[in-house]
């Protein structure tokens, strides 16, 4: 598939190129212009973890971006799809996505679509899978709860990487080992163990207005709550965010009680091989991703 690398939209002459060659400050300014919470540091982590393109006008202003994050040889997620508000009604999003699809090859794709972008992705052949509930607010100290039977908690260590990668792979259906290395470098983690073996974990890192909890991977709601609660406790009184596909049950109830109501929703979508989240509601495949690493990574 080929896509035009330059285009005239309205009165703008735009060219698309590698996002790695664009100043961080310009990327940050674009996300601020559409109300996204990403800090410059958050952009830097994304640039280190993936690939992408940026559209610039004739005087070098960044008016659009998109990134993709390869996981294994056959799958990638797409994120940071942003177009300047002044160009959103002129087809800039479709042009940028066509350039992404031209560069990404035959990989199956997953993404999380805002309501505004959902129609575009549907027209490009993406199929909807699950809603993602963006929960955020000032964290409230959670009520004390009994630790699940036979379980102990401890902090995650770098030596736990292989086990965390295995759990994450089972939950999301893709090899995200390189991403997990990066996440461990910037996150504090809590692990739940039974008979000395990790069965659930939750990571928490600085992001946007405060901190974000994710990924959270566990086999049961009780285990997911157990590894998430220490992060809520640590950040009580401060801004905290958690993105989950769990609509009902003990875990989303716990998240709401922790001062993190649903702020917005996006839709997980897939193109090619069905993304693992398409079958999560069947409770056939365990463990489950209770909270996303981010909307870009899934």
């Amino acid at each position: 598939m080929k896509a035009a690398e330059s285009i005239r939209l309205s009165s703008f002459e735009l060219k698309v190129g590698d996002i790695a060659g664009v100043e961080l400050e310009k990327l940050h300014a674009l996300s601020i212009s559409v109300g996204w919470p990403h800090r410059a540091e958050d952009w830097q982590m994304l640039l280190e973890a993936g690939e992408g393109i940026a559209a610039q006008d004739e005087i070098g202003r960044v008016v659009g971006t998109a990134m993709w994050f390869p996981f294994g040889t056959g799958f990638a997620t797409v994120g940071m799809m942003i177009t300047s508000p002044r160009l959103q009604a002129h087809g800039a999003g479709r042009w940028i996505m066509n350039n992404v699809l031209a560069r990404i090859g035959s990989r199956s794709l997953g993404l999380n679509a805002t309501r505004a972008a959902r129609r575009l992705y549907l027209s490009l052949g993406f199929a909807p899978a699950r809603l993602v509930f963006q929960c955020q607010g000032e964290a409230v100290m959670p009520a004390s709860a009994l630790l699940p039977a036979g379980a102990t908690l401890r902090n995650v260590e770098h030596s736990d990487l292989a086990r965390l990668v295995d759990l994450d792979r089972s939950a999301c259906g893709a090899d995200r080992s390189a991403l997990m290395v990066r996440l461990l470098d910037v996150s504090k983690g809590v692990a739940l163990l039974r008979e000395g073996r990790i069965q659930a974990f939750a990571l928490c890192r600085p992001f946007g207005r405060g901190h974000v909890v994710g990924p959270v991977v566990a086999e049961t709601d009780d285990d997911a709550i157990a590894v998430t609660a220490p992060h809520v406790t640590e950040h009580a009184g401060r801004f905290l965010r958690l993105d989950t596909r769990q609509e009902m049950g003990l875990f989303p109830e716990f998240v709401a009680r922790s001062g993190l109501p649903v702020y917005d929703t996006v839709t997980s979508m897939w193109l090619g091989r069905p993304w693992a989240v398409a079958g999560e509601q069947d409770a056939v495949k365990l463990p489950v991703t209770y909270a996303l690493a981010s909307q870009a990574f899934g």
Side-chain angles (χ1 to χ4, degrees):
M1 176 181 176
K2 292 185 177 181
E5 294 190 354
S6 64
I7 192 173
R8 177 169 288 278
L9 295 176
S10 184
S11 60
F12 299 94
E13 184 72 33
L14 307 180
K15 292 185 178 180
V16 69
D18 190 338
I19 200 170
V22 178
E23 294 93 335
L24 185 62
E25 293 78 7
K26 291 184 178 181
L27 301 174
H28 189 210
L30 178 65
S31 58
I32 289 174
S33 75
V34 296
W36 286 22
H38 298 70
R39 308 166 302 156
E41 296 92 333
D42 301 323
W43 266 107
Q44 185 60 50
M45 179 182 175
L46 291 161
L47 293 170
E48 292 170 356
E51 305 173 53
I53 55 176
Q56 295 180 272
D57 65 15
E58 61 272 15
I59 61 172
R61 292 175 296 190
V62 176
V63 296
T65 60
M67 296 193 69
W68 57 94
F69 305 91
F71 300 126
T73 59
F75 179 73
T77 59
V78 176
M80 303 310 292
M81 174 69 179
I82 308 174
T83 55
S84 172
R86 57 187 172 162
L87 295 177
Q88 288 174 358
H90 297 285
R94 179 174 296 276
W95 171 62
I96 291 172
M97 273 303 299
N98 282 337
N99 271 276
V100 169
L101 295 175
R103 288 164 167 77
I104 214 163
S106 60
R107 293 175 185 269
S108 295
L109 302 177
L111 56 77
N112 291 301
T114 62
R115 283 186 289 272
R118 189 173 184 270
R119 182 179 298 178
L120 167 63
Y121 297 130
L122 286 170
S123 72
L124 292 170
F126 284 83
R130 298 281 301 281
L131 279 179
V132 175
F133 300 90
Q134 180 181 323
C135 306
Q136 64 183 51
E138 184 177 299
V140 175
M141 186 80 72
S144 58
L146 294 176
L147 197 61
T152 59
L153 296 180
R154 67 164 171 80
N155 289 338
V156 166
E157 303 170 354
H158 274 81
S159 59
D160 297 323
L161 175 63
R163 176 57 179 161
L164 301 192
V165 167
D166 285 345
L167 288 170
D168 183 73
R169 183 188 296 112
S170 296
C172 73
D175 180 1
R176 305 200 301 178
S177 52
L179 172 62
M180 292 301 296
V181 171
R182 295 179 182 276
L183 290 175
L184 282 182
D185 284 341
V186 297
S187 302
K188 182 175 181 179
V190 175
L192 180 146
L193 294 82
R194 289 188 177 89
E195 297 181 353
R197 183 171 177 80
I198 296 177
Q199 292 191 326
F201 71 90
L203 303 184
C204 182
R205 69 184 189 279
F207 174 82
R209 295 168 55 189
H211 283 71
V212 62
V213 180
V216 176
V217 176
E219 293 188 0
T220 68
D221 282 34
D222 286 341
D223 285 2
I225 292 169
V227 292
T228 302
H231 294 306
V232 177
T233 298
E234 181 173 352
H235 297 286
R238 291 177 286 170
F239 184 86
L240 193 62
R241 172 172 166 174
L242 183 150
D243 294 345
T244 182
R245 297 189 185 96
Q246 307 301 312
E247 183 174 7
M248 297 180 292
L250 295 176
F251 184 75
E253 292 171 4
F254 162 80
V255 172
R257 291 198 310 273
S258 298
L260 311 181
V262 175
Y263 172 78
D264 200 0
T265 62
V266 296
T267 303
S268 291
M269 306 183 75
W270 53 268
L271 180 69
R273 175 179 60 82
W275 198 3
V277 300
E280 272 184 7
Q281 68 266 41
D282 300 326
V284 172
K285 182 177 66 61
L286 294 174
V288 167
T289 301
Y290 276 83
L292 280 61
S294 78
Q295 290 186 13
F297 301 138

